[in-house]
Amino acid sequence: MRKWGCILTISATVLLFFLASCGIPRMFPWDEVTQYSISSRQLSFKTSFQTESSSSGAAETTNWTLVPSRGTPVIRIYYIITPTAESPLYSNVTGMASSFSSRYRSSFPPTYDEEAAYTRSFDTTYTDDETISVSMWEMTVIGNDGSVEPVSRVFQGVDYFVGSGGTHDDNIYDEYTATYEFSVETVSSGYYIRLNLNGVSYRLGRMNGSPFSLSLSDYYEDNCEFLPEDSDGLLQDATLNIYLGASFAFENYTSRQTIPLVEVHRNTLLAP
């Protein structure tokens, strides 16, 4: 009997090792309020929390202590230039952020180097083919040395957050918060966006590193936000909409989460 017990124990151990090595998903819960919160001015998340579940009618409490994977969380900032010639078009375009969030909520978006993150075509009476192609773009960080990098390649890791509460594994705090504010920095050729992140200022530009122009014609040249054939769709004022979100991964877990994008800034300085 002891022999069979030993064999069964070894077999169970081998089976568990086999299942682990096959990449059986290990999921972490990631719900708003319980684990994270986001607004137009602040993003916070917890690495130590409790969840409640029920099994066979009995409530069960699970304690979680998570360690962010290296280079995470990733703060992401995107923008959409919205033609405001028709109000229905404006409301439809701003819904692109929700569609983008749904696409990547269980994964990580890539980093976009002068490529559109998301594009949709909308009906309009201001172009010859009565449609206009509108895209979401990743903003860039302009370094003091003139370097240009997409936001998601720069704002990686807990160093861009302020920790609070106690600490656990690897001196990870129980909670982290990023506080941000956006403003306009005027330059001779237009304006940049200034991001104040936890008291540190960063200059943000368009996907190609250029400032946001006061001339709408600068947005439909080659390799710009709009196609040249859609230029008539920007005859009137346009609006710059900026959205912020973040992606999360934790050590020893296979799941990834990207929280919904939230509008953090709207600027109406664009004009013909």
Side-chain angles (χ1 to χ4, degrees), residues 173-202:
Y173 284 97
D174 290 340
E175 185 169 0
Y176 287 88
T177 300
T179 302
Y180 37 80
E181 185 176 3
F182 294 81
S183 59
V184 171
E185 176 193 354
T186 303
V187 294
S188 59
S189 55
Y191 60 92
Y192 288 100
I193 297 297
R194 272 288 171 184
L195 164 64
N196 185 306
L197 178 61
N198 297 325
V200 180
S201 181
Y202 301 89

Side-chain angles (χ1 to χ4, degrees), residues 114-129:
E114 298 189 35
E115 296 179 359
Y118 190 72
T119 300
R120 290 181 61 184
S121 293
F122 299 94
D123 295 333
T124 179
T125 59
Y126 286 87
T127 60
D128 292 338
D129 60 359

Side-chain angles (χ1 to χ4, degrees), residues 10 26 39 68 74 90 98 121 148 160-161 171 182 206 213 237 242 248 251 256 260 262:
I10 293 174
R26 293 194 66 212
S39 69
V74 179
Y90 177 83
S98 297
S121 293
V148 177
Y160 290 100
F161 292 77
N171 292 320
F182 294 81
R206 293 162 60 189
S213 176
D237 290 351
I242 299 177
F248 298 86
E251 296 291 339
R256 290 181 167 190
V262 169

Side-chain angles (χ1 to χ4, degrees), residues 49-193:
F49 54 90
Q50 293 182 335
T51 57
E52 302 288 339
S53 61
S54 58
S55 177
S56 302
E60 296 182 356
T61 300
T62 302
N63 295 311
W64 298 83
T65 53
L66 305 178
V67 176
S69 297
R70 184 176 181 180
T72 66
V74 179
I75 296 177
R76 303 178 183 277
I77 304 176
Y78 303 95
Y79 70 96
I80 302 174
I81 296 177
T82 308
T84 57
E86 300 164 275
S87 56
L89 175 63
Y90 177 83
S91 60
N92 288 333
V93 168
T94 55
M96 291 173 62
S98 297
S99 298
F100 182 84
S101 296
S102 297
R103 173 180 292 186
Y104 290 108
R105 62 186 175 186
S106 297
S107 61
F108 276 16
T111 294
Y112 299 96
D113 291 284
E114 298 189 35
E115 296 179 359
Y118 190 72
T119 300
R120 290 181 61 184
S121 293
F122 299 94
D123 295 333
T124 179
T125 59
Y126 286 87
T127 60
D128 292 338
D129 60 359
E130 297 188 342
T131 63
I132 187 170
S133 181
V134 181
S135 296
M136 173 185 291
W137 305 86
E138 182 167 3
M139 299 196 74
T140 54
V141 180
I142 316 300
N144 294 329
D145 58 355
S147 61
V148 177
E149 291 285 355
V151 163
S152 63
R153 197 170 285 156
V154 176
F155 300 132
Q156 299 182 356
V158 294
D159 289 344
Y160 290 100
F161 292 77
V162 177
S164 60
T167 58
H168 52 276
D169 306 64
D170 295 337
N171 292 320
I172 296 297
Y173 284 97
D174 290 340
E175 185 169 0
Y176 287 88
T177 300
T179 302
Y180 37 80
E181 185 176 3
F182 294 81
S183 59
V184 171
E185 176 193 354
T186 303
V187 294
S188 59
S189 55
Y191 60 92
Y192 288 100
I193 297 297

